[in-house]
């Protein structure tokens, strides 16, 4: 992971429809969601959703797999973890205790 990859990923998520789509895909792991169903759930036209999915895929945050006539999209959790790890790696100048509140906040979401 490098600065450019993180910037592309963060830019992809810096738009409401794409952020909502990514969050929905994270919640639907590991089964994923078909593109048409994503458009319906997020309430955007299918062609608009396709454009947003392309941005997220180019950023490496999602993957798509063709199943019959549908494309099933999934969040790439490894890529997302890499972005977060990159951002936190040198957390607070090496003072992990300053990042502890963030870590404590994340732990309850993943029992």
């Amino acid at each position: 992971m490098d600065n450019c990859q993180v910037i592309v990923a963060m830019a992809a998520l810096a738009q409401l429809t794409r952020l909502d789509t990514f969050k929905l895909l994270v919640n639907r792991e590991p089964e994923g969601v078909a593109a048409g169903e994503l458009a319906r759930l997020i309430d955007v036209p299918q062609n608009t959703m396709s454009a947003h999915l392309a941005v997220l895929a180019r950023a490496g945050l999602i993957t798509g797999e063709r199943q019959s006539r549908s494309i099933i999209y999934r969040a790439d959790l490894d890529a997302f973890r890499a972005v977060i790890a990159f951002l936190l790696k040198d957390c607070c100048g090496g003072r992990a205790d300053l990042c502890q509140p963030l870590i404590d906040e994340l732990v309850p979401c993943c029992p």
Side-chain angles (χ1 to χ4, degrees), residues 43-61:
D43 194 27
V44 297
Q46 287 190 4
N47 62 334
T48 302
M49 180 54 72
S50 292
H52 288 302
L53 292 169
V55 171
L56 290 167
R58 279 192 302 273
L61 294 169

Side-chain angles (χ1 to χ4, degrees), residues 27-87:
N27 285 326
R28 296 286 184 93
E29 275 299 306
E31 54 277 345
V33 182
E37 179 71 358
L38 281 169
R40 187 186 70 73
L41 291 169
I42 302 292
D43 194 27
V44 297
Q46 287 190 4
N47 62 334
T48 302
M49 180 54 72
S50 292
H52 288 302
L53 292 169
V55 171
L56 290 167
R58 279 192 302 273
L61 294 169
I62 66 170
T63 59
E65 178 185 339
R66 183 165 290 282
Q67 289 184 359
S68 185
R69 293 177 54 197
S70 297
I71 298 177
I72 305 300
Y73 285 92
R74 291 179 180 83
D76 186 331
L77 297 179
D78 289 335
F80 185 63
R81 278 191 284 274
V83 169
I84 300 305
F86 178 87
L87 293 171

